Amino acid sequence: MTVNWGIVGAGKIAESQFAPAVAAADGHELTAVSRRELAAAQAFADRHGARRAYDSEEALLADSEVDAVYVATPPHLHARQTVLAAEAGKHVLCEKPMAMTTGEAREMIEACRASGVMLTICHYQRFNARHQRIRRLLEAGAIGQVTAARINFSDRFPPQPGVWHHDPEISGGGPVMDLGIHCIDLLRFLCGPAASVAALVETLVDRSPVADTATLLLRLASGAQAVVTSHWTTANHEPERANGLEIWGTEGSIEAGPISAKDSSGSLRVLTSEGTRDYSIGPGGPRPHVALVEAFGRAVAGEGPNPIPGEEGLAGLAVVEAADESARSGRRVELR
């Protein structure tokens, strides 16, 4: 079975990651792309071998050859475009954050369920080969009972002309929605769901309508404690320090970074009483986006589970909303 893809929002992330992943994945083809400017859509199609280009998502969704769509527009458009895709009978791979609110996320899930199509969220870090190994190590009890974790994904990102991330009407928020959502999902993937959140979410440095600095303290359902830090106010000169994770247990610890490598490259060390084991991966390793696209294809063909269902994206947004509530109230918020 070949999955014929359409890209809604053929911009930067689709250019650098998704279109190359489709080209590299077995059984996948890029059929159509859309952008607001038809000339830009056509240029993208020419670069990546797509057969057709459109200037609207409606036109792309009317293309009978398209089986699935990758929604890569800014967050404020995700819900509407996903619902339209579902109504057109297309499977959906939606970029993060899944939606602006948990309410929108539920609407997306319901629309896809009602139409009998699959909704997957593009939390590609789950397919980083180092993170897959960490999950296996934890399942095998390599560091005993997990009691604590820390994940940091931060950089210096002040407001810039023409960049929408600091506009809450488009982005839905600051670094937690942009970067922290990855940390929250990865923590869920490795250590399980969160039970409560206490947070500081503040604007410290730049004149911006969104927060630029956030620290979340989470109690996981397992009882373990975790800290997620996500800042736009910290200069990043060593990616593995500003973009990594630590997991601690009763018998040892795991350290890895950077969490966002597009080729799984980076460090991974496991420290126990038996010594240090190094599972680091050099440049040119397995590409998470390719693995995600292939898993998506297997699920569409009925040969495997949905790799990252919409409910997983909803769970991450629930943590973001709880963090915002905690920051406003100064109290810990229980997740329902």
Side-chain angles (χ1 to χ4, degrees):
M1 175 183 176
T2 297
V3 177
N4 294 300
W5 283 93
I7 297 177
V8 175
K12 183 177 179 181
I13 192 68
E15 179 86 52
S16 64
Q17 301 303 325
F18 185 74
V22 169
D26 293 333
H28 295 262
E29 292 185 7
L30 183 57
T31 297
V33 301
S34 69
R35 291 186 63 158
R36 286 178 297 178
E37 302 84 14
L38 183 58
Q42 187 61 60
F44 187 105
D46 293 342
R47 288 193 298 274
H48 295 283
R51 294 195 288 274
R52 288 179 287 283
Y54 300 104
D55 61 1
S56 72
E57 63 266 27
E58 290 87 357
L60 183 145
L61 293 173
D63 190 324
S64 62
E65 289 190 44
V66 172
D67 303 312
V69 295
Y70 170 56
V71 176
T73 48
H76 72 304
L77 299 174
H78 289 180
R80 181 178 69 83
Q81 292 171 340
T82 295
V83 170
L84 287 174
E87 292 173 347
K90 316 296 186 184
H91 301 290
V92 179
L93 175 61
C94 183
E95 259 301 335
K96 63 80 196 171
M98 175 182 180
M100 300 282 275
T101 66
T102 54
E104 285 190 349
R106 291 187 181 93
E107 291 174 4
M108 295 162 69
I109 292 168
E110 179 54 36
C112 290
R113 181 182 296 119
S115 295
V117 299
M118 192 171 72
L119 172 59
T120 300
I121 310 305
C122 193
H123 282 301
Y124 68 90
Q125 287 90 345
R126 293 190 180 206
F127 285 87
N128 181 310
R130 286 179 295 117
H131 300 157
Q132 296 267 328
R133 183 179 286 274
I134 291 171
R135 180 160 165 150
R136 294 195 297 271
L137 288 164
L138 294 173
E139 289 173 344
I143 61 170
Q145 179 184 343
V146 172
T147 56
R150 182 186 71 85
I151 304 184
N152 179 45
F153 196 174
S154 299
D155 207 341
R156 184 74 180 99
F157 186 53
Q160 303 169 31
V163 178
W164 50 261
H165 295 74
H166 283 261
D167 184 342
E169 298 301 316
I170 298 176
S171 68
V176 179
M177 284 287 269
D178 183 43
L179 306 177
I181 196 76
H182 279 309
C183 301
I184 293 164
D185 182 76
L186 185 57
L187 183 64
R188 179 180 176 85
F189 176 66
L190 296 175
C191 300
S196 67
V197 184
L200 297 173
V201 182
E202 301 174 328
T203 305
L204 296 183
V205 175
D206 298 303
R207 295 173 62 90
S208 172
V210 298
D212 58 20
T213 306
T215 299
L216 282 58
L217 175 63
L218 295 90
R219 178 172 56 81
L220 305 184
S222 67
Q225 299 174 4
V227 176
V228 169
T229 47
S230 181
H231 313 317
W232 281 344
T233 54
T234 53
N236 176 7
H237 301 299
E238 293 184 4
E240 289 187 19
R241 295 186 63 195
N243 183 351
L245 66 86
E246 299 173 353
I247 302 175
W248 297 81
T250 54
E251 305 297 330
S253 63
I254 295 173
E255 302 172 356
I259 65 172
S260 61
K262 305 302 190 295
D263 59 358
S264 297
S265 64
S267 65
L268 171 54
R269 298 196 310 154
V270 182
L271 295 80
T272 68
S273 60
E274 298 176 355
T276 301
R277 286 175 286 169
D278 194 317
Y279 298 105
S280 300
I281 296 177
R287 292 168 55 195
H289 283 86
V290 176
L292 173 55
V293 167
E294 291 181 339
F296 184 99
R298 290 192 295 272
V300 167
E303 299 172 356
N306 184 340
I308 312 172
E311 287 80 2
E312 295 295 291
L314 170 63
L317 284 172
V319 173
V320 174
E321 290 183 350
D324 288 338
E325 181 181 344
S326 173
R328 289 192 300 268
S329 68
R331 299 173 181 171
R332 187 170 73 178
V333 176
E334 299 292 326
L335 288 161
R336 295 176 290 276

